[in-house]
């Protein structure tokens, strides 16, 4: 059992928006879109880097870059995380492919919690931005803040989500 565990937050209707969103990116990548292929690779590498090292304390996130190993074995500095300043303890997971307006900016919103010596990373939602400022991104941040408030009322409900997901995969 690793020390970092990702939990993709499930909605009341049973859906997991982030898993579905990432699956759609993979589907577009398999259809031959080079930007989405690169995005799928970088998102996967970013998640693996977090699983390996954990997430720094919220106050240090903007100061501590990640180093991600590329397919050639080189370690590359990567600004993977950014704290959402006015939404403690929310964190933005960032992967940029190209630059605006032609590029894509993959964003996931998450928060962390330590429980019984393990870091849990709760991923609430994801999107692709095509411009610097995005009302859609503001909406997923607002949704994540509401999920976090609910999490504070009943953390074990969310921690058990991950356990439920692991058990259903093994069945």
């Amino acid at each position: 059992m690793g020390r970092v565990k990702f939990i993709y937050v499930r909605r009341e209707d049973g859906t997991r928006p982030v898993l579905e969103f990432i699956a759609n990116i993979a589907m577009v990548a398999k259809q031959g879109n080079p930007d989405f292929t690169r995005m799928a690779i970088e998102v996967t590498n970013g998640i693996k880097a977090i699983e390996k090292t954990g997430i720094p304390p919220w106050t240090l996130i903007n100061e501590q870059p990640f180093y991600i190993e590329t397919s050639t074995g080189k370690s590359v500095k990567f600004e993977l995380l950014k704290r959402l300043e006015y939404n403690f303890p929310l964190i933005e997971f960032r992967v940029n492919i190209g630059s605006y307006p032609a590029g894509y900016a993959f964003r996931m919103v998450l928060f962390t919690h330590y429980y019984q010596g393990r870091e849990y990373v709760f991923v609430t939602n994801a999107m692709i931005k095509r411009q610097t400022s995005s009302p859609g991104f503001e909406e997923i941040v607002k949704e994540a803040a509401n999920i976090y408030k609910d999490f504070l009322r009943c953390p074990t409900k969310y921690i058990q989500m991950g356990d439920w997901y692991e058990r259903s995969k093994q069945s």
Side-chain angles (χ1 to χ4, degrees):
M1 212 184 324
R3 71 177 206 112
V4 179
K5 179 174 181 152
F6 271 76
I7 295 178
Y8 298 91
V9 176
R10 187 174 56 247
R11 300 301 185 270
E12 294 298 321
D13 64 3
T15 62
R16 292 177 186 265
V18 176
L19 289 179
E20 293 167 15
F21 193 77
I22 291 172
N24 287 334
I25 290 170
M27 187 174 63
V28 173
K30 286 179 183 172
Q31 293 169 354
N33 183 309
D35 289 335
F36 278 65
T37 300
R38 186 168 158 221
M39 184 183 305
I41 291 167
E42 290 192 17
V43 167
T44 300
N45 287 344
I47 290 169
K48 285 179 183 175
I50 291 171
E51 287 175 334
K52 187 176 181 182
T53 64
I55 292 180
W58 194 79
T59 55
L60 298 177
I61 285 173
N62 294 0
E63 287 80 36
Q64 271 185 314
F66 272 80
Y67 289 87
I68 295 178
E69 197 170 299
T70 64
S71 57
T72 62
K74 281 185 148 183
S75 190
V76 176
K77 181 180 170 184
F78 201 78
E79 292 181 20
L80 184 63
L81 301 172
K82 178 182 175 187
R83 65 179 176 244
L84 293 170
E85 292 293 344
Y86 301 103
N87 291 285
F88 174 83
L90 302 182
I91 301 165
E92 178 183 6
F93 175 103
R94 308 158 52 89
V95 169
N96 296 326
I97 306 299
S99 55
Y100 301 122
Y104 298 91
F106 174 87
R107 300 294 187 257
M108 262 186 340
V109 179
L110 53 93
F111 61 91
T112 64
H113 178 73
Y114 290 87
Y115 179 70
Q116 296 181 341
R118 191 171 203 192
E119 181 179 23
Y120 288 83
V121 177
F122 296 93
V123 184
T124 61
N125 214 332
M127 70 174 295
I128 293 175
K129 291 173 42 173
R130 298 297 304 268
Q131 56 200 30
T132 322
S133 170
S134 167
F137 184 71
E138 296 307 317
E139 284 301 312
I140 69 170
V141 169
K142 192 183 307 179
E143 176 193 36
N146 288 332
I147 290 170
Y148 181 69
K149 286 176 192 165
D150 188 53
F151 169 83
L152 290 176
R153 284 190 286 276
C154 187
T156 54
K157 166 183 153 184
Y158 288 85
I159 291 168
Q160 289 169 352
M161 261 185 212
D163 295 336
W164 175 86
Y165 180 63
E166 284 180 355
R167 283 195 305 271
S168 66
K169 279 195 324 190
Q170 293 169 358
S171 320

